[in-house]
Amino acid sequence: MEKFQRYYLSFLLLIVYTNTIAQVNCNAVEGENCKKACEQYNWASDRQDSRESREAFDKAMGLCHDFSSSYMEKVVPYLKNEDFLTWKILIDKAVAVDPKMYLGYRDWSKFQFLWDYKEAIRDLKEIKKYYSDNLGRSLNGDYHWHVVRGMPYSALGQKEKAAGFIENPLTSKGYFKGTDDHYQLGVTYYELGRYDKALENFEKQSKENNFAGNIYFKSKVSKIRNKDYLDLKKLELTTYDEGKTMKDV
């Protein structure tokens, strides 16, 4: 299930990356040195992965330690090159400068690339605490928060705990259900061998937002139970050919 789990952690990266890839309006930046850092950042952003851009990002960070946009561009190449030690040093500095922007990115990276599920759990707790203490906002009703929260526990083999994180909010008043929460819950129950609960959630998912992955697991349950397997397998392949699949943004 882990390849499916990583899809959900990637939404954290999407939030961060969407906020950083655009050019920054330097006129809105306070402080002369920070304006210069912003200009360096904008110049370097158009020349990514070049020696000149790396030098410009370094200069921007030196001019203004609080200009957080430079950090993302600086840390990403180390992650891509699997230099996790340098990445960890830099991303921790970035989180110290702008927790709202970088906590989610750090957590997603620990899950996706380092497979450090215990650290991912600690980061998720820190994210929740930061939003509560500094923004006066609870994440309990947020789209996919409980799914994301359950994924590291599932990866650590704590499937029952993961299922609880995902399932409990589904019956809570005011919870904004994600487009595939029942699918995730169904897969978790499938891995627990609780096929009736798994099928129940796959059926609910089918009524709300059906796609090839959901039909695939329905067919797996049906094969185990010797019911409707071939029909579901054919439907799964047809649905896949029609492009009705989950996509990692």
Side-chain angles (χ1 to χ4, degrees):
M1 181 187 172
E2 289 178 15
K3 63 181 178 181
F4 298 104
Q5 294 167 345
R6 293 187 184 122
Y7 167 81
Y8 292 96
L9 264 293
S10 68
F11 98 97
L12 292 169
L13 173 68
L14 175 63
I15 294 171
V16 174
Y17 191 65
T18 302
N19 286 329
T20 58
I21 55 176
Q23 292 276 299
V24 177
N25 178 10
C26 297
N27 291 326
V29 176
E30 296 181 0
E32 184 177 347
N33 283 342
C34 289
K35 287 184 185 294
K36 291 179 180 178
C38 177
E39 292 167 358
Q40 286 286 323
Y41 166 81
N42 283 341
W43 182 88
S45 296
D46 293 331
R47 299 164 177 80
Q48 290 181 359
D49 296 328
S50 67
R51 179 178 60 82
E52 292 82 2
S53 69
R54 290 192 294 272
E55 291 175 352
F57 288 133
D58 284 339
K59 186 175 181 180
M61 291 164 64
L63 283 166
C64 182
H65 296 296
D66 294 332
F67 184 70
S68 62
S69 297
S70 298
Y71 284 99
M72 172 63 81
E73 304 297 342
K74 183 68 177 177
V75 301
V76 167
Y78 290 106
L79 187 63
K80 289 180 178 179
N81 293 327
E82 299 184 359
D83 183 353
F84 298 128
L85 181 59
T86 305
W87 173 84
K88 180 67 166 57
I89 293 170
L90 288 171
I91 194 60
D92 285 349
K93 290 181 179 179
V95 168
V97 172
D98 194 342
K100 183 182 178 182
M101 181 70 78
Y102 293 106
L103 271 171
Y105 169 77
R106 186 175 69 178
D107 179 67
W108 174 83
S109 300
K110 287 176 180 178
F111 188 101
Q112 178 88 347
F113 294 103
L114 278 70
W115 301 347
D116 193 340
Y117 306 125
K118 291 182 180 179
E119 277 290 322
I121 289 170
R122 278 193 282 269
D123 267 5
L124 285 167
K125 290 179 179 177
E126 190 174 344
I127 290 169
K128 185 176 183 179
K129 186 176 186 302
Y130 176 83
Y131 270 75
S132 176
D133 293 350
N134 297 281
L135 304 178
R137 176 183 163 198
S138 170
L139 290 172
N140 290 337
D142 277 34
Y143 173 67
H144 272 327
W145 167 247
H146 292 280
V147 176
V148 170
R149 195 178 176 193
M151 292 303 97
Y153 289 102
S154 181
L156 288 169
Q158 300 179 43
K159 305 292 182 182
E160 289 283 1
K161 192 168 188 175
F165 274 126
I166 301 170
E167 185 168 33
N168 291 338
L170 291 176
T171 57
S172 300
K173 185 178 181 180
Y175 176 68
F176 180 72
K177 188 188 296 185
T179 57
D180 25 47
D181 287 4
H182 284 294
Y183 165 76
Q184 276 293 324
L185 183 57
V187 173
T188 304
Y189 276 128
Y190 174 85
E191 292 182 323
L192 283 166
R194 297 172 63 179
Y195 302 119
D196 288 341
K197 290 286 288 184
L199 187 59
E200 176 188 330
N201 279 280
F202 294 142
E203 293 289 359
K204 289 180 179 179
Q205 184 65 56
S206 296
K207 295 175 182 178
E208 296 177 5
N209 176 33
N210 207 14
F211 49 86
N214 189 61
I215 301 168
Y216 166 75
F217 275 100
K218 277 181 66 176
S219 71
K220 287 174 74 71
V221 174
S222 296
K223 186 175 183 179
I224 292 170
R225 294 158 52 118
N226 295 317
K227 293 181 180 179
D228 305 322
Y229 169 70
L230 292 178
D231 288 342
L232 281 169
K233 192 67 177 177
K234 183 178 179 181
L235 178 59
E236 172 218 334
L237 294 172
T238 301
T239 307
Y240 181 86
D241 290 339
E242 291 174 352
K244 297 177 180 177
T245 60
M246 290 196 307
K247 294 179 176 62
D248 188 332
V249 293

